[in-house]
Each structure stands twice: as C-alpha cells, then as structure tokens.
C-alpha cells in the first residue's frame, strides 16, 4: 500500500466540499459521531438533507462565511492506498493556498459545474497545477444530475478543456462526469451515465500509476544534520543524515560533495533499523563516507558524473504569498532551498503572468499577493539547483522576509546556472 | 523501516510517514537552539519518542521531554513514562498543575476538571525554559480545526494560534524563523491517522501503557461514557458500579477520559477494532471536546496543543 497525495481545487459552490464529503462518507472514513454532528447542524440550518460539505468545513470563520479559506488536510484509505487530500479554496484570492496544496501533490483534482462549463477559474486551477508540476490532473465535471446526465454537455466540456490543456503540457489528463450529491461515478460506476466508458473517480485514484513520477536517476542527497554521538562507544562516528531527494544511492558509490567538490565513496547507508544496500526518495537515511572530509548541513551529496548546477544565479517563477509586502527588484530575502539557507537579492522581475489569460506583462514593477512572475535572483552562497521540472525537491525554494519572518514566496527554478 | 524494495523502489505508506516524520525531527534539531518534546504518556507521544530515537540514532535524543502533569493521570501511564525516559537517557521536565494550583497561579474549576488549566501551566513551563520549538504528537485527522494546522505551527508571544494568519508551507521546506518570545509547535505526525499509529506500534513492537489493552475495570456510565471508578471518579447517588471489559483509546486525565467496551487485548485485535469502529477517537473518549462544535479551535487559540 502506498500514499497518493491529491490537491483539490474548484470555485465556490462547484461542489468540492460535497465531493470530498462523499469520498469520505462512501469509503467509510466518516465516523458516526461526525455524521451526527453534521446532521444536527444541517437541521439547525433548516437544510433539507444532510449536508456532506459540513464534514470538511473546519474553522469557525469558514462556517460563518460558508466558504473554505485555508488549506485543510483530509485522510482516507482504501485497501489499495492511503489518500491525503489537500483541500484548497478556489477563488483567485486564495491562489497561494492552491499553490501550497499543489506543491506536494501527485494528482490535482479540478472541479467544474456541468451547468457552467469551463470558467476562467478552471483554467487558472489547471495552470497552477502544471506550474507546480503536479504529474496527474483530473477534471471532475460535477452536478451531472442537473444537466440530465447529458453526454452532449459532458463531451463539450471535455473537448473545450482538452483543447486548452494542450497548451499547458499536462502529462496525464483524465476527465470524469460525476454527481457528488448523488454519488454517481464517485465510488462506483453510475447507471445514470451508460455512455461514459471510463472508471469511477475513486477507481482512478486507486490505480493511477505514481511510482515513476519520482526522479530515480539524478542522485541528490541534501545533508540535513550531522550525527555525532557524544559517547565513547561511537567515538569516531560521523553520519550524514538526510532525506533522499532524487536518484538511488548505493553502498560503494563514488560521490562528490557540493559545493566543496570533495570526493569520496559511500561506506554505509543506514537507518536505526540497520544497514541497507540502497536508498531512494523519499527515504530518510544516514550516509557514512569512506573518507574523513568536511561535510555539513546544507551540502549536497551527488554522483561525480551527474551534478546539479552549483550557482548563485537563478531564474525562477515565483508565487508571491504575502499580503503586507510586495516583491520588487532590489529587495533582499532569505532563501531556503533544500537544506541550505542563504540570502538573495531580486535582480530583475522579467514579467508578471496573468494567471487567467497567461498573458505576460513585462512592464510590471512588483508582485503582490497571489501574483506570479518570473524573476532573476542572485544569492550570497551557491545553491545546488535543478530545474523544477526535473526534480521538485531540488528545484523548489521559499523566500522569507528577514524583517517579519514571514514566508513570502514560493519559487520554482526554471533555469539554473 | 522495512527492507528497501530494489525492484520498484517503492516505499510503503508506513515507511513514507516514518521518513517524513524523521525529516521533520532532524530539521528542527538542526535549526532551533531550544527544542523540547511534549510527552503526554499516550500512544502518540510514545510513537513520537520512537521516531525521535530513530532520527538521531546512534546518538541520544538531543532534547529534553516535557510532561504537563495534571495530577490526575493514570498510574500506568506515569510508570511507562518514567521507564521510557530512563531507558532513552533523556531529561524529563515536569510542569505540575497541582503545584500551580497550590501556589495560586491557576484556579481549579469547581467541577475538578483540570484540562483547561493545563494550558497556562504548559505556557509557563515553556516560557521558563525559553523553549522555541515544541514537538507535539497531534494528528490532523483528530479534529476539524487540526485539519488546517501546519506541520510548523507558528505561535505568538502568548503561545496563541491564529488560524487566519498561518505561514504557507510548501514542499518540505519549513520556515523556522521567529522573533524572541515566539515559538513553533511542530507536529511530525500531522499526516498519520489513528490506524497508521496502531500499525506502526505493531510493526515497531512499541510498548504501551497496559490500559490501552482490554482489561476488567469497575466503571460508571455517565451519559453513555464509561468512566473508571477510582481515585478521581466516585460513583454519584444512583449510579451503579459496573464491572466491564474495557480499554482506553486515548489517554488523558483519569476523570475526563472514558473507556470503551472492548475485548481487544492484543495489538492485532486493536487494529481490527480501530479499522471497523464507527466513532472517532475523541468522540468516544473525551468529555472535554464535547462542549461545542468549535471546542478544539477555541482551546488551540488559547495556546493548547
Ligand atoms: N444537484 C447537485 N448539487 C450539488 C452537487 N454537488 C454539490 N451540490 C450542491 O452545490 C452547493 C455547493 O456545494 P459545496 O460542496 O458546498 O461547494 P464548494 O463551495 O465547492 O465546497 C451545495 O448546495 C451542494 O448541495 C451535485 O452533484 N448535484
């Protein structure tokens, strides 16, 4: 059994909460006391039937405003998989939340209302999913019950979206007609849509192939922490602890430590459970080298013949996430990339991207909350950078405002070096 | 961790969760000067200790453990705590609610429940030791308010959580920057569910306090909840003392935590029970979260875990 992380996006009222509620309910993840609480609230509000959306609307402010305002995480499991849902709000003012949810997602689920078809926001959601390199996208056409389960309506939406998606280079796209309210095609195939020959949503989620989405080629091991036990038994022990960010490390491999360029060989790969032959993402392991060289947090262990760019200059797409400040050329931030933190200056804002039209505004002077743009950065220290498209773990970074300490931007490296 | 899969390079669900938690432990220890691990004695905090131990092996866990003792704990739980701390060679700090009541810094509520007055004692202890990063064993599946909590949960000088003003958290890049007096609560088990915890306990052969397993106990039935008769609960007029086979799904204060009827006296039986149960962990066993729809959210804002 493995884990599938999915991010959901939809505009208000497209039925996202109902759909998630339905998945939780039909996979028996919802408990009797949670259902009782939802029934009580539905009744108090005078709603006709039990409102499954209430299962996922967490915070008080949300309950009062009737909308989802932050990323909420939900869990359910079937016999095949464990699922982690990052449930994000769809409105443009919550772009940063969607970006956050999509950053770790294997699959993005974009919801549309069958009556309304593809809206500007649906395009935006699909764009953000591809910007964050979510490998699989599912377009869920909801509320099919309100269009008489019409194949024509579905086909039209399907075509329109496929045409648009061609521009985005979505690696894997699936389109599914459902009624979240009635459960059609959510957990099992619906008899109301005999013309549909695909699988139910859950069946797709259970079977979509994600193992090969990881980069198993480029060995990347960012050193997180150096383990040096203060005891006589382990006097000379020096272990480099970290989580494998790419490739397969093997005992005996020749390695290079960046940025220093020192070379050595892997003597031991181990965990608290003992030595292992090989390590791959996302394993957390400890590596010991044959030679006693200087290695510390923020360094990266790679293969000599396959190295990332060691560079102070980076081109990146950034999503600005702070409501108080703006990104402007000349501004300085702390940058956190893998396990390395440095300072960086924005050399240039090449353009701001309109997330709805994908138009590039090269006259833009700043980026505000939820805006996305392309920047050129120069850092005080070299970073071991890969293109985000090649490896999300070594291509993503965050910017932190050194005054307020807030996380102000998420960045995806487009060109390193 | 299980043996690596050298054919497909797959990682199982439990190994993925373990790897993620270990990454978080190491990240915090690398970036904070004064970390501490909250220990409640419950299964989640025992799993936390196991993960911390694995993250730094063969070195010892490089931080102290803090227990806020309400004075109303189950004896079995305190015993297990002391054993563990001794075996792992970690320092134990106890924040005592009884002491705080005695010296007048908190007032015991008339009904004798101490859950709410735990929070000021916790905050005082954290402040006294100037802890900056505080590990907790909370899971997002426990409660709707928790579902929105970050792995690194920023707290202001008063230890308060502001759900509307959380730092975005992307990939596995955590922002550890804080000003003096502020702190971060860290939740490595965020993505675990109750069932994951039990599978992990079984796999790792983690020893739990005996009250987690089915045993005979004298209880009283209060509004459908079974409370153990003992030092902290005495039968009220008209209440019948029943002897039942029960176990605890969570471990909190003895006067607030209810037992559930169960025959599950082995880990395998517990897993089966948890997998098929229809009531949430908190709904079944916690008197303290029932007051309102938003009880947990309110307590978290005040600085509770
Ligand atoms: N008829 C119909 N109504 C739906 C369906 N899915 C959701 N709804 C209704 O649409 C409204 C908005 O749903 P909700 O899940 O709250 O939308 P969200 O804002 O996207 O989370 C509610 O009144 C739902 O009952 C569906 O498949 N069919």
């Amino acid at each position: 059994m493995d884990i599938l992380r999915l991010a959901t996006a939809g505009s208000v009222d497209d039925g996202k909460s109902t759909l998630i509620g339905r998945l939780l309910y039909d996979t028996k993840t919802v408990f009797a006391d949670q259902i009782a609480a939802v029934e009580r609230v539905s009744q108090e509000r005078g709603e006709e039937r039990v409102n499954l959306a209430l299962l996922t609307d967490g915070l008080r402010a949300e309950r009062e405003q009737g909308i989802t305002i932050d990323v909420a995480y939900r869990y359910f499991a079937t016999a095949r998989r464990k699922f982690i849902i990052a449930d994000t709000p769809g409105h443009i003012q919550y772009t940063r939340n969607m970006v956050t949810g999509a950053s770790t997602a294997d699959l993005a689920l974009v919801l549309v209302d069958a009556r309304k078809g593809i809206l500007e926001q649906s395009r935006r959601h699909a764009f953000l999913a591809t910007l964050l390199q979510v490998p699989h996208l599912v377009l869920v056409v909801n509320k099919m019950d309100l269009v008489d389960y019409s194949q024509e309506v579905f086909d039209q939406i399907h075509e329109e979206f496929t045409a648009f998606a061609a521009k985005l280079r979505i690696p894997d796209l699936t389109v599914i007609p459902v009624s979240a309210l009635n459960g059609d095609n959510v957990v099992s195939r619906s008899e109301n849509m005999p013309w549909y020959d695909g699988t139910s949503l859950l069946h797709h989620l259970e079977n979509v192939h994600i193992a090969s989405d990881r980069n198993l080629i480029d060995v990347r091991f960012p050193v997180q922490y150096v383990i040096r036990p203060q005891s006589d038994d382990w006097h000379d022990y020096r272990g480099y602890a970290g989580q494998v960010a790419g490739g397969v490390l093997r005992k005996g491999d020749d390695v290079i430590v960046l940025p220093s360029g020192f070379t050595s060989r892997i003597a031991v790969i181990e965990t608290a459970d003992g030595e292992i032959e090989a390590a791959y993402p996302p394993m957390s392991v400890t590596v010991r080298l044959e030679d006693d060289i200087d290695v510390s947090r923020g360094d990266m262990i790679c293969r000599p013949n396959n190295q990332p760019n060691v560079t102070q200059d980076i081109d990146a797409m950034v999503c600005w996430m702070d409501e108080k400040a703006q990104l402007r050329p000349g501004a300085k931030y702390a940058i956190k990339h893998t396990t390395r933190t440095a300072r960086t200056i924005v050399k240039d804002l090449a353009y701001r991207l309109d997330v709805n039209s994908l138009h590039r505004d090269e006259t833009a002077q700043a980026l505000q909350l939820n805006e996305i743009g392309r920047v050129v950065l120069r850092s005080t220290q070299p970073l071991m950078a890969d293109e985000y498209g090649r490896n999300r773990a070594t291509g993503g970074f965050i910017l932190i405002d050194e005054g307020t300490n807030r996380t102000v931007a998420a960045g995806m490296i487009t060109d390193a070096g | 961790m299980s043996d690596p899969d050298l054919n497909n390079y797959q990682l199982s669900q439990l190994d993925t969760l373990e790897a993620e938690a270990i990454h978080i432990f190491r990240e915090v220890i690398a970036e904070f000067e004064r970390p501490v691990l909250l220990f409640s004695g419950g299964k989640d905090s025992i799993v936390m200790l196991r993960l911390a131990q694995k993250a730094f092996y063969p070195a010892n866990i490089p931080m102290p453990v803090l227990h806020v003792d309400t004075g109303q704990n189950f004896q079995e739980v305190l015993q297990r705590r002391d054993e563990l701390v001794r075996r792992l060679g970690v320092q134990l700090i106890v924040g005592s609610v009884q002491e705080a009541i005695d010296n007048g810094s908190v007032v015991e509520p008339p009904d004798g429940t101490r859950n709410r007055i735990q929070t000021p004692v916790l905050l005082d202890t954290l402040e006294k030791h100037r802890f900056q990063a505080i590990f907790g064993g909370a899971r997002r599946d426990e409660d709707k308010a928790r579902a929105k909590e970050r792995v690194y949960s920023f707290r202001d000088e008063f230890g308060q959580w502001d759900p509307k003003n959380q730092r975005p958290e992307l990939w596995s890049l955590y922002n550890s920057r804080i000003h003096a007096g502020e702190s971060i609560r860290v939740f490595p088990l965020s993505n675990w569910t109750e069932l994951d915890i039990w599978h992990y306990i079984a796999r790792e052969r983690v020893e739990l306090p005996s009250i987690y397993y089915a045993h005979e106990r004298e209880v009283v039935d209060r509004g459908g909840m079974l409370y153990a008769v003992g030092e902290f609960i005495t039968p009220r007029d008209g209440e019948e003392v029943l002897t039942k086979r029960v176990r605890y799904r969570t471990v909190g204060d003895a006067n607030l935590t209810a037992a559930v009827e169960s025959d599950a006296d082995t880990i395998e039986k517990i897993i089966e029970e948890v997998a098929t149960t229809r009531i949430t962990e908190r709904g079944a066993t916690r008197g303290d979260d029932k007051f309102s729809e938003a009880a947990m959210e309110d307590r978290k804002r005040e600085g509770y875990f």
Side-chain angles (χ1 to χ4, degrees):
Chain A
M1 195 156 98
D2 61 354
I3 297 183
L4 180 94
R5 292 174 205 253
L6 63 148
T8 55
S11 310
V12 180
D13 284 344
D14 283 350
K16 188 160 57 71
S17 310
T18 308
L19 180 70
I20 295 174
R22 168 65 62 191
L23 280 170
L24 300 182
Y25 188 84
D26 286 357
T27 53
K28 310 217 166 16
T29 308
V30 189
F31 296 100
D33 53 327
Q34 291 173 312
I35 295 176
V38 166
E39 278 170 356
R40 196 174 58 237
V41 177
S42 301
Q43 238 169 27
E44 280 165 13
R45 293 191 183 173
E47 292 175 12
E48 266 172 44
R49 42 176 145 183
V50 178
N51 185 346
L52 288 179
L54 290 172
L55 283 170
T56 60
D57 275 356
L59 298 173
R60 175 179 304 223
E62 292 176 347
R63 278 196 299 278
E64 282 160 6
Q65 295 166 23
I67 49 157
T68 319
I69 50 171
D70 202 329
V71 190
Y73 293 87
R74 325 271 167 212
Y75 304 84
F76 71 98
T78 65
R80 294 188 67 108
R81 266 190 175 148
K82 169 175 170 131
F83 299 91
I84 301 180
I85 308 180
D87 179 10
T88 70
H91 196 273
I92 188 156
Q93 73 190 95
Y94 302 121
T95 296
R96 72 164 165 189
N97 296 337
M98 233 204 91
V99 167
T100 302
S103 73
T104 50
D106 302 302
L107 182 147
L109 211 150
V110 174
L111 217 70
V112 297
D113 183 328
R115 294 171 305 174
K116 299 186 197 151
I118 309 290
L119 303 177
E120 190 177 77
Q121 354 214 6
S122 328
R123 294 198 186 88
R124 185 177 70 244
H125 298 151
F127 166 69
L128 291 175
T130 44
L131 179 71
L132 274 294
Q133 298 276 348
V134 179
H136 309 273
L137 185 79
V138 179
L139 180 74
V140 175
V141 182
N142 188 32
K143 306 201 185 181
M144 285 302 291
D145 56 308
L146 296 182
V147 296
D148 296 326
Y149 299 105
S150 152
Q151 175 173 15
E152 211 183 317
V153 172
F154 175 76
D155 284 348
Q156 203 188 332
I157 293 174
H158 191 166
E159 265 165 49
E160 191 184 339
F161 192 79
T162 314
F164 164 73
K167 287 189 256 174
L168 291 179
R169 284 184 293 163
I170 295 171
D172 170 38
L173 171 67
T174 306
V175 188
I176 305 178
V178 310
S179 164
L181 195 67
N182 300 335
D184 297 285
N185 285 341
V186 177
V187 168
S188 46
R189 283 280 302 276
S190 163
E191 283 166 17
N192 291 319
M193 290 173 269
W195 46 265
Y196 170 69
D197 54 14
T199 64
S200 71
L201 174 62
L202 184 65
H203 187 271
H204 181 69
L205 297 179
E206 282 185 309
N207 292 287
V208 60
H209 182 70
I210 55 169
S212 45
D213 296 338
R214 290 163 304 161
N215 181 328
L216 293 173
I217 296 165
D218 311 320
V219 171
R220 302 287 184 264
F221 186 71
V223 175
Q224 206 188 351
Y225 183 78
V226 181
I227 297 179
R228 304 208 59 177
Q230 304 297 318
S231 74
D232 292 341
D233 293 352
W234 301 96
H235 192 66
D236 291 322
Y237 185 97
R238 205 177 155 85
Y240 306 113
Q243 188 166 24
V244 182
V248 181
L249 284 87
R250 288 173 210 277
K251 182 176 168 160
D253 277 353
D254 289 322
V255 292
I256 182 164
V257 180
L258 298 173
S260 69
F262 292 137
T263 54
S264 183
R265 188 168 293 151
I266 295 179
V268 176
I269 306 174
E270 64 188 340
T271 70
D273 297 308
E275 288 191 24
I276 50 179
E277 280 304 306
Y280 46 88
M283 284 166 52
S284 279
V285 299
T286 302
V287 169
R288 283 191 277 148
L289 300 181
E290 283 184 1
D291 306 279
D292 195 8
I293 53 180
D294 185 25
V295 181
S296 48
R297 173 174 169 84
D299 292 350
M300 193 181 286
I301 295 176
C302 310
R303 301 298 305 277
N305 57 359
N306 178 339
Q307 300 182 27
N309 288 298
V310 182
T311 175
Q312 287 171 265
D313 297 295
I314 276 174
D315 281 5
M317 295 297 290
V318 296
C319 173
W320 192 253
M321 303 193 145
D322 199 52
E323 55 263 286
K324 300 208 171 117
Q326 302 184 348
L327 175 137
R328 285 181 190 283
K332 296 183 180 119
Y333 304 99
I335 181 169
K336 191 163 183 188
H337 171 256
T338 67
T339 56
R340 179 165 271 243
T341 304
R343 299 186 72 214
T344 195
I345 181 167
V346 180
K347 299 295 268 190
D348 185 34
L349 171 61
Y351 58 81
R352 178 177 57 213
L353 192 72
D354 182 319
V355 287
N356 291 321
S357 66
L358 304 189
H359 173 74
R360 297 173 177 188
D361 178 1
E362 286 166 13
T363 64
Q365 298 299 310
L367 291 182
Q368 307 195 21
L369 177 63
N370 294 316
E371 291 186 339
I372 289 170
R374 183 166 171 133
V375 296
V376 179
L377 303 176
R378 179 163 177 90
S379 304
T380 50
Q381 286 178 40
L383 304 175
M384 277 62 79
D386 288 304
E387 274 175 34
Y388 184 77
R390 200 158 166 91
N391 189 329
R392 292 209 271 177
T394 53
F397 62 85
I398 56 172
L399 298 180
I400 300 168
D401 183 305
E402 293 176 297
T404 62
N405 288 337
R406 295 152 71 100
T407 303
V408 290
M412 283 122 316
I413 296 170
T414 45
D415 192 8
Chain B
M1 207 183 61
S2 348
D3 288 335
D5 162 11
L6 297 179
N7 294 317
N8 302 307
Y9 304 110
Q10 303 249 37
L11 210 56
S12 74
Q13 158 198 13
L14 275 190
D15 286 329
T16 305
L17 292 171
E18 181 186 68
E20 178 181 279
I22 287 176
H23 169 82
I24 294 163
F25 269 107
R26 289 169 170 171
E27 205 54 22
V28 168
I29 297 301
E31 295 211 317
F32 288 91
E33 268 167 38
R34 302 191 62 81
V36 67
L37 194 154
L38 251 298
F39 183 82
S40 69
K43 66 180 192 309
D44 298 325
S45 62
I46 294 178
V47 166
M48 287 280 286
L49 270 175
R50 167 61 57 105
L51 289 164
Q53 184 191 3
K54 286 191 160 194
F56 303 102
Y57 172 87
N60 284 339
I61 297 174
M63 68 187 140
V65 168
L66 168 62
H67 182 219
V68 177
D69 183 356
T70 57
Q72 297 176 334
N73 287 292
F74 289 97
Q75 218 36 55
E76 294 90 334
V77 173
L78 293 180
Q79 268 166 19
R80 189 79 194 90
R81 173 195 80 184
D82 293 338
E83 262 166 46
L84 262 171
V85 162
R86 209 175 317 121
R87 180 140 54 82
L88 296 175
V90 291
Q91 182 200 355
L92 173 70
I93 299 168
V94 178
S96 164
V97 174
Q98 186 60 51
E99 245 170 57
I101 293 172
D102 294 345
N103 69 27
S105 56
V106 295
V107 178
E108 179 153 37
D111 64 359
T113 61
R114 293 181 171 181
N115 212 319
R116 204 133 192 148
I117 55 175
Q118 249 185 145
T119 302
V121 176
L122 168 69
L123 294 177
D124 279 353
T125 316
L126 294 177
E127 200 172 302
K128 195 168 97 198
H129 294 267
R130 293 182 292 115
F131 288 125
Q132 300 165 318
I134 304 111
F135 280 104
R139 292 176 279 115
R140 289 187 183 131
D141 81 325
E142 281 177 72
D143 177 272
K144 284 201 284 192
R146 290 218 196 272
K148 312 237 154 168
E149 182 111 40
R150 303 291 190 260
V151 172
Y152 273 37
S153 176
F154 176 81
R155 303 301 168 103
D156 65 14
E157 303 95 305
F158 304 98
Q160 298 181 101
W161 182 60
D162 178 1
K164 282 216 163 161
N165 197 13
Q166 301 195 77
R167 292 175 173 177
E169 211 160 68
L170 296 109
W171 302 291
S172 48
L173 295 173
Y174 301 106
N175 177 352
S176 56
R177 297 199 170 215
I178 50 170
H179 290 120
E182 297 168 345
S183 59
I184 305 276
R185 304 274 171 96
V186 185
F187 301 111
L189 303 181
S190 286
N191 287 329
W192 299 49
T193 60
E194 185 185 11
L195 201 52
D196 294 327
I197 296 282
W198 281 110
H199 280 296
Y200 193 71
I201 288 167
R203 187 183 90 175
E204 299 286 310
R205 300 199 185 86
V206 172
E207 267 179 64
L208 295 182
S210 53
I211 61 173
Y212 276 108
Y213 299 93
H215 56 282
E216 303 258 313
R217 208 174 257 270
E218 292 196 330
V219 294
V220 288
D221 185 332
R222 288 192 183 158
M225 306 272 230
L226 303 177
Y227 291 97
V229 174
E231 191 183 343
F232 305 110
I233 297 268
T234 32
R236 296 176 188 148
D237 278 352
E239 267 179 352
E240 192 188 338
V241 176
L242 313 159
T243 302
K244 297 219 174 209
R245 200 161 164 73
V246 297
R247 67 175 203 88
Y248 287 85
R249 278 178 73 185
T250 66
V251 167
D253 283 2
N255 58 340
L256 282 174
T257 311
V260 291
E261 282 199 78
S262 169
D263 278 324
D265 52 6
T266 63
I267 190 99
E268 291 74 24
K269 288 186 195 164
I270 290 176
I271 288 176
E272 203 182 309
E273 190 184 281
V274 172
T276 53
T277 184
R278 306 303 316 137
I279 311 261
T280 57
E281 197 172 272
R282 289 194 162 263
T285 60
R286 291 291 178 97
D288 45 332
D289 288 333
K290 279 208 137 178
F291 300 128
S292 83
E293 256 285 276
M296 176 65 91
E297 185 182 336
D298 292 339
R299 289 168 59 201
K300 284 176 67 65
R301 284 172 185 273
E302 288 167 12
Y304 180 78
F305 256 81

